CSV table of all heavy atoms in Angstrom, one decimal:
chain,number,residue,atom,x,y,z
A,1,GLY,N,2.4,1.4,11.6
A,1,GLY,CA,3.4,0.4,11.4
A,1,GLY,C,3.5,-0.2,10.0
A,1,GLY,O,4.3,-1.1,9.7
A,2,SER,N,2.7,0.4,9.0
A,2,SER,CA,2.7,-0.2,7.7
A,2,SER,C,3.0,0.9,6.6
A,2,SER,O,2.9,0.6,5.4
A,2,SER,CB,1.4,-0.8,7.4
A,2,SER,OG,0.3,0.1,7.4
A,3,VAL,N,3.3,2.1,7.0
A,3,VAL,CA,3.5,3.2,6.0
A,3,VAL,C,4.6,2.9,5.0
A,3,VAL,O,4.5,3.0,3.8
A,3,VAL,CB,3.7,4.5,6.7
A,3,VAL,CG1,4.1,5.6,5.8
A,3,VAL,CG2,2.5,4.9,7.6
A,4,LYS,N,5.8,2.5,5.5
A,4,LYS,CA,6.9,2.2,4.7
A,4,LYS,C,6.6,1.0,3.7
A,4,LYS,O,7.0,1.0,2.6
A,4,LYS,CB,8.2,2.0,5.5
A,4,LYS,CG,8.7,3.2,6.2
A,4,LYS,CD,9.9,2.9,7.0
A,4,LYS,CE,10.3,4.1,7.8
A,4,LYS,NZ,11.4,3.7,8.8
A,5,THR,N,6.0,0.0,4.3
A,5,THR,CA,5.6,-1.2,3.5
A,5,THR,C,4.7,-0.8,2.3
A,5,THR,O,4.9,-1.2,1.2
A,5,THR,CB,5.0,-2.2,4.4
A,5,THR,OG1,5.8,-2.6,5.4
A,5,THR,CG2,4.6,-3.5,3.5
A,6,TYR,N,3.7,0.0,2.6
A,6,TYR,CA,2.8,0.5,1.6
A,6,TYR,C,3.5,1.2,0.5
A,6,TYR,O,3.4,0.9,-0.7
A,6,TYR,CB,1.7,1.5,2.2
A,6,TYR,CG,1.0,2.3,1.2
A,6,TYR,CD1,0.0,1.7,0.4
A,6,TYR,CD2,1.3,3.6,1.0
A,6,TYR,CE1,-0.7,2.4,-0.5
A,6,TYR,CE2,0.6,4.4,0.0
A,6,TYR,CZ,-0.3,3.8,-0.7
A,6,TYR,OH,-1.0,4.5,-1.7
A,7,LYS,N,4.4,2.2,0.9
A,7,LYS,CA,5.1,3.0,-0.1
A,7,LYS,C,6.1,2.1,-1.0
A,7,LYS,O,6.2,2.2,-2.2
A,7,LYS,CB,5.9,4.1,0.5
A,7,LYS,CG,5.1,5.2,1.1
A,7,LYS,CD,5.9,6.2,1.8
A,7,LYS,CE,5.0,7.3,2.3
A,7,LYS,NZ,5.8,8.4,3.1
A,8,ARG,N,6.7,1.1,-0.3
A,8,ARG,CA,7.6,0.2,-1.0
A,8,ARG,C,6.9,-0.7,-2.0
A,8,ARG,O,7.3,-0.8,-3.2
A,8,ARG,CB,8.4,-0.6,0.0
A,8,ARG,CG,9.5,-1.5,-0.5
A,8,ARG,CD,10.2,-2.1,0.7
A,8,ARG,NE,11.2,-3.1,0.2
A,8,ARG,CZ,11.8,-3.9,1.0
A,8,ARG,NH1,11.7,-3.8,2.3
A,8,ARG,NH2,12.7,-4.8,0.5
A,9,LEU,N,5.8,-1.2,-1.6
A,9,LEU,CA,5.0,-2.1,-2.5
A,9,LEU,C,4.4,-1.3,-3.6
A,9,LEU,O,4.4,-1.8,-4.8
A,9,LEU,CB,3.9,-2.8,-1.7
A,9,LEU,CG,4.3,-3.9,-0.7
A,9,LEU,CD1,3.1,-4.3,0.2
A,9,LEU,CD2,4.8,-5.1,-1.5
A,10,LYS,N,3.9,-0.1,-3.4
A,10,LYS,CA,3.3,0.7,-4.4
A,10,LYS,C,4.4,1.1,-5.5
A,10,LYS,O,4.1,1.0,-6.7
A,10,LYS,CB,2.8,2.0,-3.7
A,10,LYS,CG,2.0,2.9,-4.6
A,10,LYS,CD,0.6,2.4,-4.5
A,10,LYS,CE,-0.3,3.4,-5.2
A,10,LYS,NZ,-1.5,2.9,-5.8
A,11,LYS,N,5.6,1.3,-5.1
A,11,LYS,CA,6.7,1.6,-6.0
A,11,LYS,C,7.2,0.4,-6.8
A,11,LYS,O,7.4,0.4,-8.0
A,11,LYS,CB,7.9,2.2,-5.2
A,11,LYS,CG,9.0,2.6,-6.1
A,11,LYS,CD,10.2,3.2,-5.2
A,11,LYS,CE,11.4,3.5,-6.1
A,11,LYS,NZ,12.5,4.1,-5.3
A,12,GLU,N,7.3,-0.8,-6.1
A,12,GLU,CA,7.8,-2.0,-6.7
A,12,GLU,C,6.8,-2.8,-7.5
A,12,GLU,O,7.2,-3.5,-8.4
A,12,GLU,CB,8.5,-2.9,-5.6
A,12,GLU,CG,9.7,-2.3,-5.0
A,12,GLU,CD,10.3,-3.1,-3.9
A,12,GLU,OE1,9.9,-4.3,-3.8
A,12,GLU,OE2,11.2,-2.6,-3.2
A,13,PHE,N,5.5,-2.7,-7.2
A,13,PHE,CA,4.5,-3.4,-7.8
A,13,PHE,C,3.3,-2.6,-8.3
A,13,PHE,O,2.2,-2.7,-7.8
A,13,PHE,CB,4.0,-4.5,-6.9
A,13,PHE,CG,5.1,-5.5,-6.5
A,13,PHE,CD1,5.7,-5.3,-5.3
A,13,PHE,CD2,5.4,-6.6,-7.3
A,13,PHE,CE1,6.7,-6.2,-4.9
A,13,PHE,CE2,6.4,-7.4,-6.9
A,13,PHE,CZ,7.1,-7.2,-5.7
A,14,PRO,N,3.6,-1.6,-9.2
A,14,PRO,CA,2.5,-0.7,-9.6
A,14,PRO,C,1.3,-1.3,-10.3
A,14,PRO,O,0.2,-0.8,-10.4
A,14,PRO,CB,3.2,0.3,-10.5
A,14,PRO,CG,4.4,-0.4,-11.0
A,14,PRO,CD,4.8,-1.4,-9.9
A,15,GLU,N,1.5,-2.5,-10.8
A,15,GLU,CA,0.5,-3.2,-11.5
A,15,GLU,C,-0.6,-3.8,-10.6
A,15,GLU,O,-1.7,-4.2,-11.0
A,15,GLU,CB,1.1,-4.4,-12.4
A,15,GLU,CG,1.6,-5.5,-11.6
A,15,GLU,CD,3.1,-5.3,-11.1
A,15,GLU,OE1,3.7,-4.3,-11.2
A,15,GLU,OE2,3.6,-6.3,-10.4
A,16,ASN,N,-0.3,-3.9,-9.3
A,16,ASN,CA,-1.3,-4.4,-8.3
A,16,ASN,C,-2.1,-3.2,-7.7
A,16,ASN,O,-1.7,-2.1,-7.7
A,16,ASN,CB,-0.6,-5.1,-7.2
A,16,ASN,CG,0.0,-6.4,-7.6
A,16,ASN,OD1,-0.7,-7.3,-7.9
A,16,ASN,ND2,1.3,-6.5,-7.7
A,17,SER,N,-3.3,-3.6,-7.2
A,17,SER,CA,-4.2,-2.6,-6.6
A,17,SER,C,-3.8,-2.5,-5.1
A,17,SER,O,-4.3,-3.2,-4.3
A,17,SER,CB,-5.6,-3.1,-6.8
A,17,SER,OG,-6.5,-2.2,-6.1
A,18,ILE,N,-2.9,-1.5,-4.9
A,18,ILE,CA,-2.4,-1.3,-3.5
A,18,ILE,C,-2.9,0.1,-3.1
A,18,ILE,O,-2.5,1.1,-3.7
A,18,ILE,CB,-0.9,-1.4,-3.5
A,18,ILE,CG1,-0.4,-2.7,-4.0
A,18,ILE,CG2,-0.4,-1.1,-2.1
A,18,ILE,CD1,1.0,-2.8,-4.3
A,19,LYS,N,-3.7,0.1,-2.0
A,19,LYS,CA,-4.3,1.4,-1.6
A,19,LYS,C,-4.4,1.5,-0.1
A,19,LYS,O,-4.4,0.5,0.6
A,19,LYS,CB,-5.8,1.5,-2.1
A,19,LYS,CG,-5.8,1.5,-3.6
A,19,LYS,CD,-7.2,1.7,-4.1
A,19,LYS,CE,-7.2,1.7,-5.7
A,19,LYS,NZ,-8.5,1.7,-6.2
A,20,ARG,N,-4.3,2.8,0.4
A,20,ARG,CA,-4.5,3.1,1.8
A,20,ARG,C,-6.0,3.6,1.9
A,20,ARG,O,-6.4,4.5,1.2
A,20,ARG,CB,-3.5,4.1,2.3
A,20,ARG,CG,-2.2,3.6,2.4
A,20,ARG,CD,-1.2,4.6,2.9
A,20,ARG,NE,-1.6,5.2,4.2
A,20,ARG,CZ,-1.0,4.9,5.3
A,20,ARG,NH1,-0.1,4.0,5.3
A,20,ARG,NH2,-1.4,5.4,6.5
A,21,ARG,N,-6.7,3.1,2.9
A,21,ARG,CA,-8.1,3.5,3.1
A,21,ARG,C,-8.1,4.2,4.5
A,21,ARG,O,-7.3,3.9,5.4
A,21,ARG,CB,-9.0,2.3,3.1
A,21,ARG,CG,-9.0,1.6,1.8
A,21,ARG,CD,-9.8,2.4,0.8
A,21,ARG,NE,-9.9,1.7,-0.5
A,21,ARG,CZ,-10.1,2.3,-1.6
A,21,ARG,NH1,-10.1,3.6,-1.7
A,21,ARG,NH2,-10.2,1.6,-2.7
A,22,ASP,N,-9.2,5.0,4.7
A,22,ASP,CA,-9.4,5.6,6.0
A,22,ASP,C,-9.6,4.6,7.1
A,22,ASP,O,-9.0,4.6,8.2
A,22,ASP,CB,-10.6,6.6,5.9
A,22,ASP,CG,-10.8,7.3,7.3
A,22,ASP,OD1,-9.8,7.8,7.8
A,22,ASP,OD2,-11.9,7.3,7.7
A,23,CYS,N,-10.3,3.5,6.8
A,23,CYS,CA,-10.5,2.4,7.7
A,23,CYS,C,-10.8,1.2,6.9
A,23,CYS,O,-11.6,1.2,5.9
A,23,CYS,CB,-11.7,2.7,8.6
A,23,CYS,SG,-12.0,1.4,9.8
A,24,ILE,N,-10.2,0.0,7.3
A,24,ILE,CA,-10.5,-1.2,6.6
A,24,ILE,C,-11.2,-2.2,7.6
A,24,ILE,O,-11.3,-3.4,7.3
A,24,ILE,CB,-9.2,-1.9,6.0
A,24,ILE,CG1,-8.2,-2.0,7.1
A,24,ILE,CG2,-8.7,-1.0,4.9
A,24,ILE,CD1,-6.9,-2.7,6.6
A,25,LYS,N,-11.8,-1.6,8.6
A,25,LYS,CA,-12.7,-2.3,9.6
A,25,LYS,C,-12.0,-3.5,10.2
A,25,LYS,O,-12.6,-4.6,10.4
A,25,LYS,CB,-14.0,-2.7,8.9
A,25,LYS,CG,-14.8,-1.5,8.4
A,25,LYS,CD,-16.0,-1.9,7.7
A,25,LYS,CE,-16.9,-0.7,7.3
A,25,LYS,NZ,-16.4,0.5,7.0
A,26,SER,N,-10.8,-3.4,10.6
A,26,SER,CA,-10.1,-4.4,11.4
A,26,SER,C,-9.3,-3.7,12.5
A,26,SER,O,-8.1,-3.9,12.6
A,26,SER,CB,-9.1,-5.2,10.4
A,26,SER,OG,-9.8,-5.9,9.5
């Protein structure tokens, strides 16, 4: 449910540390 949000943020805010991880333990 967060794939599009991730891609959109990555494109619009490249200066931030935005990453997808295998697991974020939540």
Side-chain angles (χ1 to χ4, degrees):
S2 63
V3 175
K4 291 178 187 174
T5 302
Y6 165 76
K7 289 178 181 179
R8 187 173 173 187
L9 289 168
K10 192 84 169 150
K11 181 179 177 182
E12 293 177 12
F13 300 96
E15 67 280 1
N16 288 291
S17 177
I18 304 169
K19 297 182 181 177
R20 286 180 60 100
R21 298 285 185 208
D22 183 47
C23 181
I24 55 177
K25 298 180 180 20
S26 294

